[in-house]
Amino acid sequence: MFARVIVDISNANVDRLFTYSVPEDIKAAPGQRVLVPFGRGNKPIEGFIIELSEEQQTSHEVKPILRTLEPYTVLTAEQLALSEWIRAAYHCTRADSLRGMIPAKLRGSRVKEKTVRTLRLSPNASREEFVASISTKDGGIKAPKQLEIFDLLDRPDAEYSAADINAFIPGAASAISAMIKKGLLIEAGRETYRDPFAGRSVKPTLPLPLLPSQAAALKAINEAGSGETLLLHGVTGSGKTEVYMQAIASELEKGHGAIVLVPEISLTPQTTDRFRSRFGECVAVLHSHLSDGERFDEWRRIRFKKARVVIGARSAVFAPVDELGLIIIDEEHEPSYVSELTPKYSAIEVARRRARLTGARLVLGSATPSLTSYYRAKRGQYKLLEMPERINGDTMPRVDIVDMRSEYLSGNNGIFSNLLKEAIAKTLERREQAILFLNRRGYSSHVECRACGFVFTCKNCYVAMTYHKFSNALRCHYCGASAFVPSKCPSCGSEFVKFSGMGTQQVEEQLIELFPGIRTLRMDTDTTGGKNAHRDILDAFTRGEADVLIGTQMVAKGLDIPNVTLVGVVFADSTLFHSDYRSSERTFQLLTQVAGRAGRADKEGRVVIQTNAPNHRAIALCIGHDYKSFFELEIGDRLHTLFPPFSVFVRALFVSRNEQEAAEAAGRFSSGVTEAILDTLSRQDAKNELIFVMPGAAPIRKRDGEYRYAVIIKLARTAHTAGAIEAVYAFAAKHGEECCRSIEINPQDML
Ligand code: ADP
Ligand code: ZN
Ligand code: ZN
């Protein structure tokens, strides 16, 4: 027997199948991890068996597999098929495509099964003899504890740890050691699963009777065809989770399993508790806050079908759920579903592929679906399900928009508008709580006129240009256009105010100045470094330890606090004019989320949004939570400017310590790849299909001592797009530039 093996080394040079012979005494199967001799020195290396065959299929001398690493297959046949697709779709090595499917610490065997020492009765022990040995002459028992232990264990399969016995029979320790000495008890080991839910019990819940819109959605999910994708567009509080749970329940009845993805940051115990309350023991979780041992054990519970419902973050899309019936991706618009590490996969794309491979159904849920998803649903690629109403007829909180330009012109150049100051004061008076939200992203900043709100945008792309300190210039991250920063506003002529982004610290300082004695908490990247910092801050705030919580995007996920009646968006425009074509979409999503959450429970909520662009659709339309109007306008703009979903960006990055080398590599790549792409397009349409190929310094030109240059390719989405993208990869593979670091399709950022 011969095995075709992928060695666990992420390097293009060894990215192929190697043949090994399988010794008689080794039981091997595809998907198993093995140790194989590799390279000239025959160094033992870990690898994955991909297939077995009777024939050698190679004329090279073959070496034997040394041993299997686990007694079971760590990869299922379905995962092997999925990894092959990932390799092709994201152009990564086979090893990279497989690594994501197993617990990281399994590699190198850095995590092990946990066994507890257990005790059971020796098979030779006889109760009669034992009782005789501890009886006194007058019929009493000398060692009553020992007898109790004997009786506890005198049942088929009875096997307990010493701690468990002690819990039944307090003070049993010395009796136990005496019985071990006498050979009555024997020590053994039993495997256990480390339990991430330890100490957190939940009350069981039953399915709720559904409202008509929920029932319709559930029916559509249950009746959807194999491999189909559905988009569930339901406002916050419309009862999406209840629909998910009932859809899962009907899969479980059929013997199928399910995967539920939620954004990492909302994977709180509260979220997982809802599923555990309904499905009990068969729920497993996978997220970054698990210990290595817990992660390994949860993965094994899934692998061995002890858990059938997996709740997890992005990478849980790879969980080895057998007979998968349903995948749910909640808050599907979240950018965190795209991996920043190699392979840079999108969990949604992987889930679609996996659904097609297995015949499972995929449900994407959101109150504000991504533009691309909603567009696909409208074109019939996804089945669209709408749940437009809240469960209990709750009213949405009142949203006020404050024009910060008028505040400035009337002499208030502070961070807080008069309206927001009043609202904070009232909240403090009523002993309620407020959240101040700064939707700030990344390092970049746009330049804007404080008096009239004029924003410098690129003439080609209509996205905000970004200020670059080192060149004192404005630049567009999509087409590379640049401009000098003028000294006066070209629109109103006023002295130009440069917006450099304000921090949470600044907001806190001004707040304390305005309201002496106010108790504040801050949540930003400075304060959330620790493992549970995010949760700890939210818990402290929930306990009422502060009046105001100030934070970035992160706080938007923690808004389910009953005493919070005011949400202030300090400056809505910082994401709005981020130099990204999705800024408007992201801003609308964030603000809608914020506005849909304030003032739950019985207290009336209020939202104040401060902006220089009160008429911008991403801000104006969130007053009425009007997703559909927003979509129609925004998708029209995308078509007009040819941004995704109507086009595709491909970005190749060149990195070197030598600036000239990086720049020249980008230049060579740019001209060569243009020819390669044109060859795949029909000559007639080429001008419309290849919009541009643009080499130039990356927005972050230098990082960690290395210079970064990029080639950005913009293609209109047509029938030829896939071929053109393949041509880019093929060209890169053939004319490999040594400093080509990555090639990405529609990257999450252009920095
Ligand atoms: P979403 O996920 O859409 O934000 P949830 O599923 O969290 O909404 O539902 C909001 C609230 O409504 C929850 O407290 C949930 O228990 C409750 N709920 C959901 N469906 C029903 C129903 N059919 N009847 C009564 N209450 C429901
Ligand atoms: Zn101006
Ligand atoms: Zn541009």
Side-chain angles (χ1 to χ4, degrees):
M1 189 69 87
F2 297 91
R4 236 91 34 220
V5 172
I6 288 171
V7 290
D8 195 3
I9 302 173
S10 173
N11 182 325
N13 296 330
V14 296
D15 185 23
R16 58 200 146 91
L17 294 170
F18 292 93
T19 301
Y20 287 89
S21 62
V22 184
E24 288 281 308
D25 59 331
I26 290 184
K27 250 182 72 204
Q32 210 154 16
R33 291 197 326 128
V34 287
L35 209 59
V36 293
F38 193 72
R40 260 191 229 128
N42 280 335
K43 215 175 116 207
I45 294 266
E46 294 184 356
F48 301 91
I49 297 182
I50 300 303
E51 56 191 35
L52 293 173
S53 81
E54 299 287 345
E55 284 134 53
Q56 183 164 332
Q57 285 179 9
T58 167
S59 52
H60 290 285
E61 179 211 355
V62 298
K63 297 168 224 166
I65 286 174
L66 299 174
R67 63 180 171 90
T68 52
L69 288 162
E70 289 86 16
Y72 50 91
T73 56
V74 297
L75 295 165
T76 62
E78 185 212 324
Q79 286 179 312
L80 288 176
L82 189 63
S83 78
E84 191 47 36
W85 177 82
I86 286 175
R87 184 184 71 81
Y90 300 106
H91 292 263
C92 61
T93 64
R94 289 173 174 83
D96 280 334
S97 75
L98 291 169
R99 282 177 184 175
M101 307 206 175
I102 59 169
K105 291 287 159 74
L106 199 58
R107 302 175 50 226
S109 303
R110 285 167 294 162
V111 63
K112 294 228 155 46
E113 286 83 2
K114 184 179 173 188
T115 50
V116 287
R117 282 210 316 160
T118 52
L119 296 162
R120 58 191 152 82
L121 224 45
S122 152
N124 309 322
S126 128
R127 190 171 194 277
E128 228 170 297
E129 282 172 25
F130 173 58
V131 171
S133 76
I134 56 169
S135 295
T136 55
K137 273 188 208 122
D138 50 6
I141 296 288
K142 277 191 285 192
K145 279 242 159 82
Q146 292 191 19
L147 187 55
E148 263 188 89
I149 295 168
F150 194 101
D151 287 338
L152 179 72
L153 294 176
D154 192 10
R155 266 170 287 169
D157 296 330
E159 184 176 329
Y160 299 105
S161 68
D164 285 348
I165 296 175
N166 244 311
F168 280 113
I169 307 167
S174 60
I176 290 174
S177 15
M179 290 171 82
I180 293 173
K181 252 188 221 146
K182 288 190 219 166
L184 283 166
L185 297 185
I186 50 179
E187 293 181 294
R190 175 164 47 83
E191 231 179 79
T192 63
Y193 291 107
R194 281 153 282 210
D195 181 6
F197 305 116
R200 221 185 142 86
S201 61
V202 289
K203 284 200 206 88
T205 59
L206 289 172
L208 298 169
L210 297 182
L211 298 184
S213 61
Q214 287 178 307
L218 179 64
K219 187 161 178 279
I221 296 169
N222 284 340
E223 289 173 0
S226 288
E228 204 176 321
T229 301
L230 303 96
L231 176 63
L232 175 55
H233 174 215
V235 298
T236 26
S238 59
K240 293 188 289 294
T241 311
E242 185 62 34
V243 173
Y244 300 154
M245 290 197 290
Q246 297 199 18
I248 293 169
S250 58
E251 289 303 319
L252 292 178
E253 267 169 35
K254 288 185 263 177
H256 296 167
I259 297 176
V260 183
L261 301 189
V262 300
E264 173 82 45
I265 203 158
S266 39
L267 250 175
T268 57
Q270 287 81 357
T271 313
T272 47
D273 283 355
R274 279 182 83 177
F275 288 87
R276 289 175 61 223
S277 300
R278 190 68 56 86
F279 302 112
E281 292 275 284
C282 81
V283 174
V285 294
L286 290 174
H287 56 76
S288 63
H289 287 337
L290 298 181
S291 70
D292 294 330
E294 286 169 345
R295 188 195 311 273
F296 176 52
D297 287 356
E298 288 294 86
W299 176 83
R300 281 192 308 138
R301 286 208 309 132
I302 301 163
R303 178 74 189 80
F304 301 130
K305 294 183 97 167
K306 293 206 163 52
R308 300 296 283 147
V309 180
V310 179
I311 319 287
R314 176 176 70 216
S315 63
V317 75
F318 299 117
V321 177
D322 194 40
E323 288 194 65
L324 185 64
L326 188 65
I327 307 174
I328 289 160
I329 303 188
D330 195 29
E331 312 273 5
E332 65 89 29
H333 61 276
E334 282 284 321
S336 62
Y337 284 124
V338 179
S339 169
E340 295 113 43
L341 309 170
T342 307
K344 297 190 175 180
Y345 68 90
S346 141
I348 294 180
E349 283 178 29
V350 174
R352 283 181 75 195
R353 170 53 51 168
R354 193 163 176 190
R356 275 191 234 140
L357 273 174
T358 58
R361 270 90 24 95
L362 169 63
V363 177
L364 307 174
S366 176
T368 50
S370 82
L371 234 55
T372 301
S373 294
Y374 202 74
Y375 176 72
R376 286 184 179 156
K378 293 209 95 175
R379 306 226 322 166
Q381 281 166 280
Y382 301 162
K383 189 175 206 103
L384 183 60
L385 313 171
E386 306 260 9
M387 302 206 305
E389 265 122 48
R390 294 189 132 183
I391 289 290
N392 41 13
D394 263 5
T395 44
M396 296 287 194
R398 172 178 164 171
V399 179
D400 283 297
I401 291 178
V402 182
D403 186 342
M404 292 305 277
R405 295 169 304 181
S406 350
E407 291 283 320
Y408 176 74
L409 292 176
S410 66
N412 174 10
N413 58 5
I415 291 177
F416 300 105
S417 62
N418 289 323
L419 186 72
L420 186 51
K421 275 190 262 187
E422 273 165 38
I424 296 171
K426 273 192 207 139
T427 308
L428 293 176
E429 247 167 57
R430 285 196 297 256
R431 307 201 164 275
E432 292 168 353
Q433 290 168 292
I435 290 180
L436 294 179
F437 173 67
L438 250 110
N439 49 346
R440 200 163 111 79
R441 258 194 85 196
Y443 89 115
S444 65
S445 54
H446 64 282
V447 174
E448 135 168 23
C449 170
R450 183 81 206 247
C452 79
F454 180 85
V455 176
F456 282 88
T457 43
C458 172
K459 287 188 187 66
N460 309 322
C461 308
Y462 304 95
V463 299
M465 297 179 96
T466 298
Y467 177 65
H468 285 259
K469 233 189 199 146
F470 91 98
S471 56
N472 192 31
L474 293 163
R475 262 194 69 186
C476 169
H477 289 181
Y478 287 93
C479 73
S482 69
F484 283 110
V485 185
S487 53
K488 274 192 180 133
C489 170
S491 177
C492 73
S494 100
E495 294 271 319
F496 197 59
V497 180
K498 219 160 30 193
F499 181 72
S500 56
M502 88 188 82
T504 46
Q505 211 164 345
Q506 243 175 307
V507 173
E508 186 178 41
E509 280 162 18
Q510 282 214 15
L511 197 61
I512 293 170
E513 217 168 277
L514 284 169
F515 303 98
I518 194 168
R519 298 169 308 154
T520 59
L521 271 172
R522 234 173 359 109
M523 182 147 78
D524 50 35
T525 42
D526 293 340
T527 60
T528 52
K531 182 176 162 190
N532 293 321
H534 179 255
R535 195 189 305 161
D536 291 346
I537 294 173
L538 277 181
D539 283 348
F541 190 58
T542 310
R543 288 194 300 268
E545 288 169 22
D547 307 305
V548 180
L549 173 65
I550 305 157
T552 50
Q553 268 84 322
M554 301 173 197
V555 299
K557 319 282 176 194
L559 288 176
D560 267 322
I561 300 165
N563 200 34
V564 172
T565 52
L566 171 67
V567 172
V569 179
V570 178
F571 194 60
D573 310 11
S574 20
T575 50
L576 193 52
F577 299 116
H578 192 268
S579 58
D580 184 322
Y581 69 92
R582 284 160 297 209
S583 329
S584 166
E585 176 182 358
R586 297 251 162 93
T587 306
F588 180 79
Q589 283 161 346
L590 264 165
L591 294 179
T592 305
Q593 187 173 17
V594 169
R597 293 257 171 113
R600 287 195 147 181
D602 48 350
K603 290 177 188 140
E604 213 177 304
R606 173 156 202 202
V607 179
V608 177
I609 299 175
Q610 304 192 138
T611 174
N612 280 352
N615 299 320
H616 193 291
R617 73 174 74 113
I619 289 170
L621 289 175
C622 72
I623 298 182
H625 310 274
D626 191 357
Y627 178 81
K628 284 186 186 164
S629 304
F630 177 79
F631 171 82
E632 293 300 340
L633 292 167
E634 194 69 19
I635 203 82
D637 273 7
R638 295 270 179 100
L639 180 60
H640 179 65
T641 53
L642 279 180
F643 268 101
F646 303 103
S647 65
V648 176
F649 281 91
V650 184
R651 181 180 193 256
L653 186 67
F654 302 85
V655 181
S656 168
R657 294 202 169 268
N658 178 338
E659 179 161 20
Q660 198 180 345
E661 189 185 324
E664 284 177 5
R668 276 193 304 273
F669 186 85
S670 168
S671 40
V673 84
T674 306
E675 287 308 309
I677 293 171
L678 287 175
D679 284 345
T680 70
L681 302 175
S682 63
R683 285 288 157 195
Q684 211 176 345
D685 302 328
K687 247 188 24 222
N688 299 328
E689 296 190 1
L690 177 59
I691 302 168
F692 62 66
V693 178
M694 181 71 60
I700 299 177
R701 193 177 60 121
K702 192 174 179 187
R703 183 192 269 169
D704 302 331
E706 292 181 311
Y707 291 92
R708 307 164 78 250
Y709 278 72
V711 175
I712 298 172
I713 302 161
K714 185 176 181 181
L715 295 156
R717 185 161 290 280
T718 66
H720 304 130
T721 317
I725 293 173
E726 279 312 309
V728 176
Y729 279 112
F731 177 81
K734 198 159 160 215
H735 305 270
E737 291 290 349
E738 213 160 284
C739 56
C740 180
R741 195 57 68 80
S742 65
I743 294 177
E744 277 177 90
I745 312 298
N746 287 337
Q748 286 294 301
D749 67 53
M750 299 293 242
L751 302 180

